[in-house]
């Protein structure tokens, strides 16, 4: 049972890292946090101060999204570990019968 648990955890690791890498690039599931197609034109119309504010806000949004995805991945891993433990306990109960 431990080997199955280790295989599942090792299998989940690339998914978690891949999701984190995608969000680090600003790619959101809903597309909300990606830059609009006319981002460059919009940025050209801003003053240097507004441009730096816009970039700061965008970076904060990306950071917040990445933190949310990491917290979600950690919670999903804890859930998977808990479920595997409960399944192991349930199988141990049925082994005797």
């Amino acid at each position: 049972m431990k080997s199955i648990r280790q295989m599942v955890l090792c299998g989940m690791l690339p998914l978690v890292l891949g999701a984190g890498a995608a969000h680090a690039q600003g790619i959101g599931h809903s597309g909300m946090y990606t830059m609009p197609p006319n981002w460059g034109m919009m940025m050209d119309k801003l003053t240097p101060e507004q441009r730096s504010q816009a970039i700061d806000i965008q970076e904060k949004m990306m950071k917040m999204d990445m933190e949310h995805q990491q917290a979600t991945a950690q919670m999903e891993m804890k859930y998977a570990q808990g479920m595997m433990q409960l399944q192991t306990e349930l199988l141990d109960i049925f082994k005797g019968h």
Side-chain angles (χ1 to χ4, degrees):
M1 224 7 107
K2 286 186 179 185
S3 62
I4 293 173
R5 182 180 314 150
Q6 290 173 344
M7 287 188 329
V8 170
L9 290 176
C10 289
M12 290 178 69
L13 186 62
L15 295 175
V16 172
L17 294 175
H23 287 284
Q25 296 172 3
I27 303 168
H29 287 295
S30 64
M32 286 179 49
Y33 303 122
T34 58
M35 291 184 193
N38 55 351
W39 177 259
M41 289 175 34
M42 291 170 44
M43 291 293 281
D44 289 341
K45 295 179 181 179
L46 298 177
T47 65
E49 183 181 323
Q50 290 173 327
R51 192 175 304 135
S52 67
Q53 287 176 345
I55 291 170
D56 289 343
I57 291 169
Q58 187 75 15
E59 287 174 354
K60 287 177 186 176
M61 289 172 62
M62 289 172 55
K63 182 181 178 212
M64 184 181 238
D65 187 48
M66 189 172 22
E67 289 171 353
H68 170 74
Q69 293 300 322
Q70 288 174 348
T72 301
Q74 287 177 353
M75 186 168 286
E76 287 176 356
M77 288 190 69
K78 286 180 185 177
Y79 168 78
Q81 289 173 343
M83 286 299 286
M84 280 190 262
Q85 180 64 35
L86 292 172
Q87 289 173 352
T88 301
E89 292 175 20
L90 189 60
L91 287 173
D92 288 343
I93 290 173
F94 285 114
K95 275 185 183 177
H97 296 281

